[in-house]
Amino acid sequence: MSCAYCRTDHSDKSAEWSHAEPEYRRLFTNCGHSRRYGPGETLFLQGDGNRGVYYLESGLVALRRSDENGNSALVCLNHPDDLIGYPAFLSQKEHRNTAEVLTPSKIYFIDASRLRWMLNSDPNLKESFLERALLDLDRAEANCAALLTADLRCRLFHLLLTFSKSYGTQLSDGSPGVELPVQRKDLAALLGAKPESISRLIRMLDQEGLVRFKGRLVAISSLNRLAAEVSIFN
Amino acid sequence: MSCAYCRTDHSDKSAEWSHAEPEYRRLFTNCGHSRRYGPGETLFLQGDGNRGVYYLESGLVALRRSDENGNSALVCLNHPDDLIGYPAFLSQKEHRNTAEVLTPSKIYFIDASRLRWMLNSDPNLKESFLERALLDLDRAEANCAALLTADLRCRLFHLLLTFSKSYGTQLSDGSPGVELPVQRKDLAALLGAKPESISRLIRMLDQEGLVRFKGRLVAISSLNRLAAEVSIFN
DNA sequence: CGGAGTCTTGAGTATCTTCAATGAGCGTGG
DNA sequence: CCACGCTCATTGAAGATACTCAAGACTCCG
């Protein structure tokens, strides 16, 4: 039962994030400067000039796009092994998004001039960037498709399943659970809703019993039933 | 007054589509087989294996993503000079979208094996693909941001402005106008709404007088006022 | 003229938002 | 330890927005 939008089998917990280590990983962890970031810190701001590229070793980072009136949305979630800020580097333009750290993260920074040198000496590196761009493009299009067709409940389920891949735990009663890595307002920004709507939706789901929330801890009675709803997409 | 999401100045009609001719243009028009397509035809289907890449010389093509329950959405509009189907070619995977021709189009097809050969002999070609992927990624993220934050009215205005770049005309009374290249249900699929909702919205706008619809012909009383609303994004 | 596809309209409903107020959790300082 | 202030989260009521289903109107074309 695979999801038509992101094409992952949400009923198989081990699938998505156990992919092969990307080629650039060793290069960037060797040549980059690592730093630890806390929630709320930013790597760069929308409109900033590019100074280099970030490799996310652990943690969670979101890309936010805003307009001049305070409207803003989280257009992308970056998980470990993701590369951040590379579009501005490759296209020599300003960053189009702000990169916000959501959970404590270890991130390598590779300086633009050094990276340019590395690109010249290693033709395979450009290949890696291309692969990454294609992955991100597909992810973005899948997100568009879901936003265009699925309602909030469905999108929340999908997000829960996504989080369960990285943050899934086993609860004391043996049922699967997720420790949400973000607060409600970020859930809202990711789903295109207001925090109040998220709260209300959560209450409904609690009453249904399919998913029970307690703060950031979510108990999921059946991952498969969730996956089924996501697959049905209503 | 530039739009925070797609970063084009919608009040300047000449800006967006008069960009420099892409590098691959001559290559593809020389080496590809051209064909004319009519509305409703498809270049490839979601799930198909890749057989090559398409270069859109003239016309309009949309990418549709569907799930197994009939839900579907148009995730991207392709204009002249756009490249179509290249992600499947480069990542050696199946097509993730169906490419639907919306208006009569002239399209070059470049066979996969030949293109692979060209990629090896011309290192700059890969560069072009990378640029294209980055452009499409930004476009998709901008679309996500708009879907996450803007209401239907706003998104319709944005779409009208986008169309006005390619399909803008001067009406008999001198005011700017657009000949919509798509039917209502495609407008709906592009905006994430039902055709009925589009109809109703159009009626509201007619009463306001800011934009007047007559079939596919749209009279816009002031492009700048439209652009202002899009910029404000409510 | 007829028919098919497209578009519009209406009534009722579901969903999400807005605004304002309340509650729960947490660290600080007395 | 408790009171205070702070942020985050929840709730309520009213309203806006978009959807469903069903019916009618329009248009293009044979």
PDB file of all heavy atoms in Angstrom, chain A residues 5 27-28 76-77 89 103 114 127 131 140 143 186 188 191-192 198 225-226 234:
ATOM      1  N   TYR A   5       1.372   9.954  -3.523  1.00  0.00           N
ATOM      2  CA  TYR A   5       1.997  11.262  -3.627  1.00  0.00           C
ATOM      3  C   TYR A   5       3.491  11.213  -3.368  1.00  0.00           C
ATOM      4  O   TYR A   5       4.281  11.701  -4.144  1.00  0.00           O
ATOM      5  CB  TYR A   5       1.299  12.250  -2.699  1.00  0.00           C
ATOM      6  CG  TYR A   5      -0.086  12.541  -3.200  1.00  0.00           C
ATOM      7  CD1 TYR A   5      -1.190  11.940  -2.642  1.00  0.00           C
ATOM      8  CD2 TYR A   5      -0.262  13.369  -4.292  1.00  0.00           C
ATOM      9  CE1 TYR A   5      -2.449  12.180  -3.148  1.00  0.00           C
ATOM     10  CE2 TYR A   5      -1.512  13.614  -4.806  1.00  0.00           C
ATOM     11  CZ  TYR A   5      -2.603  13.023  -4.236  1.00  0.00           C
ATOM     12  OH  TYR A   5      -3.842  13.248  -4.738  1.00  0.00           O
ATOM     13  N   LEU A  27      32.754  13.454   1.962  1.00  0.00           N
ATOM     14  CA  LEU A  27      33.404  14.672   1.528  1.00  0.00           C
ATOM     15  C   LEU A  27      33.059  15.839   2.447  1.00  0.00           C
ATOM     16  O   LEU A  27      33.940  16.588   2.895  1.00  0.00           O
ATOM     17  CB  LEU A  27      32.930  14.986   0.102  1.00  0.00           C
ATOM     18  CG  LEU A  27      33.820  15.858  -0.767  1.00  0.00           C
ATOM     19  CD1 LEU A  27      35.206  15.269  -0.877  1.00  0.00           C
ATOM     20  CD2 LEU A  27      33.188  16.010  -2.140  1.00  0.00           C
ATOM     21  N   PHE A  28      31.794  15.975   2.742  1.00  0.00           N
ATOM     22  CA  PHE A  28      31.359  17.141   3.501  1.00  0.00           C
ATOM     23  C   PHE A  28      31.699  17.029   4.976  1.00  0.00           C
ATOM     24  O   PHE A  28      32.036  18.020   5.619  1.00  0.00           O
ATOM     25  CB  PHE A  28      29.852  17.362   3.326  1.00  0.00           C
ATOM     26  CG  PHE A  28      29.500  17.821   1.937  1.00  0.00           C
ATOM     27  CD1 PHE A  28      28.192  17.848   1.516  1.00  0.00           C
ATOM     28  CD2 PHE A  28      30.491  18.243   1.057  1.00  0.00           C
ATOM     29  CE1 PHE A  28      27.867  18.280   0.239  1.00  0.00           C
ATOM     30  CE2 PHE A  28      30.174  18.668  -0.222  1.00  0.00           C
ATOM     31  CZ  PHE A  28      28.862  18.684  -0.635  1.00  0.00           C
ATOM     32  N   CYS A  76       9.286  22.823   3.218  1.00  0.00           N
ATOM     33  CA  CYS A  76      10.101  21.614   3.121  1.00  0.00           C
ATOM     34  C   CYS A  76      10.667  21.243   4.472  1.00  0.00           C
ATOM     35  O   CYS A  76      11.018  22.112   5.263  1.00  0.00           O
ATOM     36  CB  CYS A  76      11.227  21.868   2.104  1.00  0.00           C
ATOM     37  SG  CYS A  76      12.429  20.565   1.960  1.00  0.00           S
ATOM     38  N   LEU A  77      10.729  19.957   4.741  1.00  0.00           N
ATOM     39  CA  LEU A  77      11.403  19.444   5.926  1.00  0.00           C
ATOM     40  C   LEU A  77      12.688  18.760   5.504  1.00  0.00           C
ATOM     41  O   LEU A  77      12.685  17.937   4.586  1.00  0.00           O
ATOM     42  CB  LEU A  77      10.527  18.420   6.647  1.00  0.00           C
ATOM     43  CG  LEU A  77       9.474  18.911   7.624  1.00  0.00           C
ATOM     44  CD1 LEU A  77       8.730  17.730   8.223  1.00  0.00           C
ATOM     45  CD2 LEU A  77      10.092  19.761   8.712  1.00  0.00           C
ATOM     46  N   PHE A  89      23.543  28.313  -3.969  1.00  0.00           N
ATOM     47  CA  PHE A  89      24.947  28.159  -4.333  1.00  0.00           C
ATOM     48  C   PHE A  89      25.105  27.842  -5.813  1.00  0.00           C
ATOM     49  O   PHE A  89      25.894  28.477  -6.522  1.00  0.00           O
ATOM     50  CB  PHE A  89      25.581  27.043  -3.485  1.00  0.00           C
ATOM     51  CG  PHE A  89      26.927  26.603  -3.977  1.00  0.00           C
ATOM     52  CD1 PHE A  89      28.045  27.396  -3.783  1.00  0.00           C
ATOM     53  CD2 PHE A  89      27.055  25.394  -4.650  1.00  0.00           C
ATOM     54  CE1 PHE A  89      29.286  26.995  -4.249  1.00  0.00           C
ATOM     55  CE2 PHE A  89      28.294  24.990  -5.122  1.00  0.00           C
ATOM     56  CZ  PHE A  89      29.406  25.784  -4.925  1.00  0.00           C
ATOM     57  N   THR A 103      14.950  21.029  15.631  1.00  0.00           N
ATOM     58  CA  THR A 103      15.409  20.250  16.787  1.00  0.00           C
ATOM     59  C   THR A 103      16.928  20.350  16.851  1.00  0.00           C
ATOM     60  O   THR A 103      17.565  20.704  15.856  1.00  0.00           O
ATOM     61  CB  THR A 103      15.021  18.768  16.656  1.00  0.00           C
ATOM     62  OG1 THR A 103      15.805  18.168  15.622  1.00  0.00           O
ATOM     63  CG2 THR A 103      13.560  18.597  16.322  1.00  0.00           C
ATOM     64  N   ARG A 114      35.504  27.022  -1.377  1.00  0.00           N
ATOM     65  CA  ARG A 114      36.086  25.689  -1.304  1.00  0.00           C
ATOM     66  C   ARG A 114      35.245  24.681  -2.083  1.00  0.00           C
ATOM     67  O   ARG A 114      35.769  23.807  -2.782  1.00  0.00           O
ATOM     68  CB  ARG A 114      36.179  25.250   0.160  1.00  0.00           C
ATOM     69  CG  ARG A 114      36.723  23.833   0.315  1.00  0.00           C
ATOM     70  CD  ARG A 114      36.553  23.342   1.732  1.00  0.00           C
ATOM     71  NE  ARG A 114      37.614  23.880   2.574  1.00  0.00           N
ATOM     72  CZ  ARG A 114      38.394  23.107   3.348  1.00  0.00           C
ATOM     73  NH1 ARG A 114      38.218  21.818   3.372  1.00  0.00           N
ATOM     74  NH2 ARG A 114      39.317  23.642   4.090  1.00  0.00           N
ATOM     75  N   GLU A 127      27.170  15.535 -10.089  1.00  0.00           N
ATOM     76  CA  GLU A 127      26.159  14.482 -10.224  1.00  0.00           C
ATOM     77  C   GLU A 127      25.344  14.348  -8.940  1.00  0.00           C
ATOM     78  O   GLU A 127      24.116  14.238  -8.970  1.00  0.00           O
ATOM     79  CB  GLU A 127      26.880  13.169 -10.531  1.00  0.00           C
ATOM     80  CG  GLU A 127      25.980  12.042 -10.933  1.00  0.00           C
ATOM     81  CD  GLU A 127      25.548  12.179 -12.384  1.00  0.00           C
ATOM     82  OE1 GLU A 127      26.322  12.779 -13.180  1.00  0.00           O
ATOM     83  OE2 GLU A 127      24.450  11.723 -12.703  1.00  0.00           O
ATOM     84  N   GLU A 131      21.298  14.812  -8.414  1.00  0.00           N
ATOM     85  CA  GLU A 131      20.420  13.827  -7.784  1.00  0.00           C
ATOM     86  C   GLU A 131      19.616  14.439  -6.652  1.00  0.00           C
ATOM     87  O   GLU A 131      18.416  14.201  -6.510  1.00  0.00           O
ATOM     88  CB  GLU A 131      21.240  12.658  -7.228  1.00  0.00           C
ATOM     89  CG  GLU A 131      21.703  11.684  -8.273  1.00  0.00           C
ATOM     90  CD  GLU A 131      22.604  10.610  -7.656  1.00  0.00           C
ATOM     91  OE1 GLU A 131      22.475  10.339  -6.443  1.00  0.00           O
ATOM     92  OE2 GLU A 131      23.448  10.055  -8.386  1.00  0.00           O
ATOM     93  N   ALA A 140       8.815  18.210  -3.505  1.00  0.00           N
ATOM     94  CA  ALA A 140       8.020  19.427  -3.565  1.00  0.00           C
ATOM     95  C   ALA A 140       6.758  19.210  -4.389  1.00  0.00           C
ATOM     96  O   ALA A 140       5.672  19.670  -4.026  1.00  0.00           O
ATOM     97  CB  ALA A 140       8.849  20.573  -4.143  1.00  0.00           C
ATOM     98  N   ASN A 143       4.278  17.295  -2.450  1.00  0.00           N
ATOM     99  CA  ASN A 143       3.664  18.173  -1.473  1.00  0.00           C
ATOM    100  C   ASN A 143       2.572  19.014  -2.133  1.00  0.00           C
ATOM    101  O   ASN A 143       1.472  19.158  -1.598  1.00  0.00           O
ATOM    102  CB  ASN A 143       4.735  19.068  -0.853  1.00  0.00           C
ATOM    103  CG  ASN A 143       4.291  19.716   0.436  1.00  0.00           C
ATOM    104  OD1 ASN A 143       3.274  19.329   1.024  1.00  0.00           O
ATOM    105  ND2 ASN A 143       5.021  20.716   0.869  1.00  0.00           N
ATOM    106  N   ASP A 186       4.205  24.979  14.199  1.00  0.00           N
ATOM    107  CA  ASP A 186       4.976  24.474  13.061  1.00  0.00           C
ATOM    108  C   ASP A 186       4.204  23.408  12.311  1.00  0.00           C
ATOM    109  O   ASP A 186       4.264  23.336  11.080  1.00  0.00           O
ATOM    110  CB  ASP A 186       6.318  23.926  13.540  1.00  0.00           C
ATOM    111  CG  ASP A 186       7.243  25.025  14.028  1.00  0.00           C
ATOM    112  OD1 ASP A 186       7.153  26.148  13.495  1.00  0.00           O
ATOM    113  OD2 ASP A 186       8.042  24.776  14.942  1.00  0.00           O
ATOM    114  N   ALA A 188       1.099  23.514  12.002  1.00  0.00           N
ATOM    115  CA  ALA A 188       0.173  24.325  11.222  1.00  0.00           C
ATOM    116  C   ALA A 188       0.854  24.879   9.976  1.00  0.00           C
ATOM    117  O   ALA A 188       0.308  24.808   8.877  1.00  0.00           O
ATOM    118  CB  ALA A 188      -0.376  25.457  12.086  1.00  0.00           C
ATOM    119  N   LEU A 191       1.252  22.309   7.368  1.00  0.00           N
ATOM    120  CA  LEU A 191       0.031  21.755   6.786  1.00  0.00           C
ATOM    121  C   LEU A 191      -0.835  22.809   6.127  1.00  0.00           C
ATOM    122  O   LEU A 191      -1.847  22.487   5.510  1.00  0.00           O
ATOM    123  CB  LEU A 191      -0.768  21.035   7.881  1.00  0.00           C
ATOM    124  CG  LEU A 191      -0.063  19.828   8.503  1.00  0.00           C
ATOM    125  CD1 LEU A 191      -0.833  19.317   9.706  1.00  0.00           C
ATOM    126  CD2 LEU A 191       0.100  18.728   7.461  1.00  0.00           C
ATOM    127  N   GLY A 192      -0.463  24.070   6.274  1.00  0.00           N
ATOM    128  CA  GLY A 192      -1.269  25.124   5.677  1.00  0.00           C
ATOM    129  C   GLY A 192      -2.542  25.373   6.453  1.00  0.00           C
ATOM    130  O   GLY A 192      -3.616  25.493   5.885  1.00  0.00           O
ATOM    131  N   ILE A 198      -5.476  22.942  14.050  1.00  0.00           N
ATOM    132  CA  ILE A 198      -4.757  21.722  14.407  1.00  0.00           C
ATOM    133  C   ILE A 198      -5.266  21.194  15.740  1.00  0.00           C
ATOM    134  O   ILE A 198      -5.543  19.990  15.892  1.00  0.00           O
ATOM    135  CB  ILE A 198      -3.241  22.004  14.492  1.00  0.00           C
ATOM    136  CG1 ILE A 198      -2.720  22.589  13.180  1.00  0.00           C
ATOM    137  CG2 ILE A 198      -2.476  20.744  14.849  1.00  0.00           C
ATOM    138  CD1 ILE A 198      -2.797  21.668  12.019  1.00  0.00           C
ATOM    139  N   ARG A 225      -3.799   1.434   9.522  1.00  0.00           N
ATOM    140  CA  ARG A 225      -5.066   2.114   9.256  1.00  0.00           C
ATOM    141  C   ARG A 225      -4.812   3.560   8.854  1.00  0.00           C
ATOM    142  O   ARG A 225      -5.508   4.121   8.011  1.00  0.00           O
ATOM    143  CB  ARG A 225      -5.971   2.031  10.487  1.00  0.00           C
ATOM    144  CG  ARG A 225      -6.810   0.755  10.486  1.00  0.00           C
ATOM    145  CD  ARG A 225      -7.560   0.556  11.784  1.00  0.00           C
ATOM    146  NE  ARG A 225      -8.473   1.650  12.091  1.00  0.00           N
ATOM    147  CZ  ARG A 225      -8.984   1.859  13.309  1.00  0.00           C
ATOM    148  NH1 ARG A 225      -8.629   1.059  14.305  1.00  0.00           N
ATOM    149  NH2 ARG A 225      -9.817   2.854  13.518  1.00  0.00           N
ATOM    150  N   LEU A 226      -3.796   4.144   9.459  1.00  0.00           N
ATOM    151  CA  LEU A 226      -3.408   5.496   9.053  1.00  0.00           C
ATOM    152  C   LEU A 226      -2.952   5.494   7.608  1.00  0.00           C
ATOM    153  O   LEU A 226      -3.384   6.317   6.788  1.00  0.00           O
ATOM    154  CB  LEU A 226      -2.268   5.998   9.950  1.00  0.00           C
ATOM    155  CG  LEU A 226      -2.498   7.327  10.634  1.00  0.00           C
ATOM    156  CD1 LEU A 226      -3.620   7.204  11.638  1.00  0.00           C
ATOM    157  CD2 LEU A 226      -1.242   7.816  11.293  1.00  0.00           C
ATOM    158  N   ASN A 234      -8.736  10.496   1.311  1.00  0.00           N
ATOM    159  CA  ASN A 234     -10.163  10.712   1.611  1.00  0.00           C
ATOM    160  C   ASN A 234     -10.984   9.485   1.311  1.00  0.00           C
ATOM    161  O   ASN A 234     -11.795   9.433   0.481  1.00  0.00           O
ATOM    162  CB  ASN A 234     -10.751  11.923   0.922  1.00  0.00           C
ATOM    163  CG  ASN A 234     -10.260  13.172   1.594  1.00  0.00           C
ATOM    164  OD1 ASN A 234      -9.392  13.076   2.448  1.00  0.00           O
ATOM    165  ND2 ASN A 234     -10.794  14.301   1.236  1.00  0.00           N
TER     166      ASN A 234
END
